[in-house]
Amino acid sequence: MTERIREFLKNRKDDGPCLVLDLDVVRDNYNAFAKCLPDTRVYYAVKANPQPEILALLTKLGSCFDVASISETEAVLAAGCTPDRISYGNTIKKEREIAAAYRLGVTMFAVDCEAEVDKVARAAPGSRVICRIHCDGTGAEWPLSRKFGCEPEFATDILEHAQKSGLIAHGISFHVGSQQHNVEAWDRALASTAAIFRACAERGINLAMVNLGGGFPAKYLRKTPKLESYGKAIFRSLRRHFGNRLPETIVEPGRGLVGNAGMIEAEVVLIAKRSPEDDTRWVYLDIGKFHGLAETIGESIRYPIRTRRDRDETGPCIVAGPTCDSVDVLYEKTLYPLPVSLAIGDKVLIEATGAYTSTYSSVGFNGYPPLKSYVLDTSVAAMAA
Ligand SMILES: *Cc1c(COP(=O)(O)O)cnc(C)c1O
């Protein structure tokens, strides 16, 4: 994690947990996507972290955006992006939201059933639609399950319905599950996608685009493959299933673009032993499931927690948040090793928390304010120096 985040935290005066984001890391990540997936455009999944400075930086770098709501659309436009660089990727939209996005200039929408096609046809006539197909999410730490996407066999009918409704049947999208560890996870979905391209061609519909979704990992405690390996595996699969007629491709990274760009500083509020002979300590932090660490649900995402005493011997801990709700426990099934010398009042750093934290923070549950975010860009670093 970056030196200047450490420097910033050293000089920070205010109280309470906070997230610090380093824009240079976002820039490096964006460039890595451009390098590892050279013919694929990046549509940043705004929900991972809609911080205006991130949207402005990515706009400047030439990124496109995947949005899920009108306010995300407005945030991207406010950052200086034009609506032709926006894909409305949520398959669950009110018709008046589609109409509002269309008025703002958005003309690409995801659908996964005929009823949603009908809404888009009425509210955004002539738009391009991408049909989302279902993926099983095996290999992902945060699978997106059965909530989205039709069965691949059904996609051709849905796209034909779109074409007959005056829309442009533009392509196929899928999401292999977030924090996907298997670089080959895209292969099956691409096999289905190629079959849909052929079936559509037989009906006179020429699909153009494959949206490869997100799933690219951030580095937490568990080791992850390099982005380059994902790029190579995806390219091999595209070749395998599409031959020499490669479709236009886009990716929608969220976690992979901003996850490692942020770090949360929190404080140890209490360390408790529940019985004299028990080795396990309960470590209560001033941040929990309700203040940004929602992805610890099911202990799915295991964040690196650093302390100033990491050279000392460690012992097993249950790590919990500060609220009076018993679900506010971060790690219990798999105990978390923390230094035995850890003390009440110590600061801890929770690393790789740039994605899916600040927006998951509750507004005021139990009187705790939402997670504060600070953004460091080159000019801020220069000021601090
Ligand atoms: C959340 C989301 C993404 C981003 O997924 P990551 O795994 O964070 O990269 C991409 N596309 C869609 C449609 C999403 O809902």
Side-chain angles (χ1 to χ4, degrees):
M1 192 44 70
T2 72
E3 203 40 54
R4 66 182 191 176
I5 292 186
R6 280 183 210 291
E7 198 55 38
F8 174 84
L9 288 172
K10 221 163 69 190
N11 299 320
R12 177 183 171 233
K13 296 281 182 296
D14 56 339
D15 198 30
C18 73
L19 168 67
V20 189
L21 293 157
D22 188 333
L23 287 187
D24 278 0
V25 180
V26 179
R27 178 184 290 113
D28 291 348
N29 290 340
Y30 181 83
N31 292 335
F33 272 98
K35 184 160 158 260
C36 296
L37 290 142
D39 297 315
T40 300
R41 290 206 80 169
V42 171
Y43 281 66
Y44 172 54
V46 174
K47 75 171 187 291
N49 192 327
Q51 190 74 32
E53 294 89 339
I54 293 178
L55 302 182
L57 170 70
L58 289 173
T59 297
K60 252 190 277 162
L61 293 174
S63 183
C64 301
F65 295 89
D66 167 56
V67 302
S69 64
I70 292 303
S71 49
E72 283 187 358
T73 309
E74 287 169 342
V76 169
L77 294 173
C81 186
T82 49
D84 56 308
R85 285 158 68 186
I86 296 177
S87 163
Y88 207 114
N90 192 347
T91 53
I92 305 156
K93 307 174 279 301
K94 289 176 183 163
E95 193 165 324
R96 55 185 182 278
E97 291 168 331
I98 300 168
Y102 186 66
R103 275 197 302 276
L104 291 170
V106 177
T107 59
M108 185 154 74
F109 296 89
V111 297
D112 64 3
C113 66
E114 294 195 350
E116 194 71 14
V117 168
D118 293 338
K119 287 193 226 167
V120 177
R122 283 190 298 264
S127 290
R128 293 159 295 164
V129 291
I130 308 283
C131 184
R132 179 155 172 183
I133 58 172
H134 169 251
C135 262
D136 71 4
T138 306
E141 282 185 2
W142 193 258
L144 299 172
S145 81
R146 299 171 44 77
K147 183 169 173 183
F148 312 100
C150 65
E151 288 307 319
E153 306 78 67
F154 196 31
T156 309
D157 288 346
I158 293 170
L159 287 166
E160 185 174 37
H161 180 64
Q163 194 87 359
K164 284 183 174 153
S165 311
L167 296 165
I168 299 165
H170 193 53
I172 295 293
S173 73
F174 52 82
H175 195 301
V176 297
S178 201
Q179 190 68 8
Q180 175 58 259
H181 282 270
N182 179 7
V183 301
E184 301 292 344
W186 282 257
D187 189 67
R188 243 188 38 215
L190 282 171
S192 306
T193 301
I196 298 164
F197 268 59
R198 289 192 295 271
C200 278
E202 277 167 25
R203 299 189 199 180
I205 301 165
N206 291 311
L207 300 180
M209 180 190 273
V210 180
N211 177 342
L212 301 159
F216 306 95
K219 169 103 183 48
Y220 302 113
L221 277 183
R222 189 175 157 193
K223 209 167 158 24
T224 56
K226 288 204 172 69
L227 187 58
E228 202 186 330
S229 312
Y230 288 85
K232 283 187 176 149
I234 288 171
F235 188 72
R236 275 198 305 273
S237 291
L238 281 165
R239 275 261 181 264
R240 186 175 307 138
H241 302 298
F242 286 89
N244 286 328
R245 304 187 57 195
L246 291 186
E248 179 189 346
T249 50
I250 67 172
V251 280
E252 295 175 329
R255 196 186 300 280
L257 257 184
V258 298
N260 68 339
M263 175 152 87
I264 286 172
E265 183 182 67
E267 183 179 327
V268 177
V269 181
L270 180 66
I271 300 176
K273 276 202 166 197
R274 293 303 182 217
S275 73
E277 61 280 0
D278 193 356
D279 282 344
T280 305
R281 291 162 297 159
W282 280 79
V283 173
Y284 299 92
L285 304 176
D286 62 353
I287 185 170
K289 274 207 166 71
F290 298 102
H291 304 104
L293 302 181
E295 287 199 314
T296 57
I297 291 171
E299 306 195 15
S300 304
I301 300 293
R302 214 165 163 80
Y303 295 108
I305 301 177
R306 307 280 176 227
T307 77
R308 243 170 291 162
R309 306 174 195 267
D310 283 345
R311 292 212 183 102
D312 298 356
E313 185 196 339
T314 63
C317 295
I318 297 168
V319 184
T323 65
C324 303
D325 189 315
S326 58
V327 309
D328 192 10
V329 175
L330 307 178
Y331 303 115
E332 179 175 20
K333 274 185 300 196
T334 308
L335 296 172
Y336 204 106
L338 287 171
V340 289
S341 54
L342 191 71
I344 292 171
D346 277 3
K347 290 281 177 12
V348 301
L349 297 176
I350 308 170
E351 293 188 337
T353 39
Y356 305 120
T357 51
S358 50
T359 41
Y360 275 153
S361 178
S362 75
V363 170
F365 176 52
N366 242 186
Y368 293 92
L371 182 62
K372 272 187 288 244
S373 290
Y374 297 101
V375 183
L376 308 184
D377 62 24
T378 309
S379 54
V380 174
M383 266 162 51

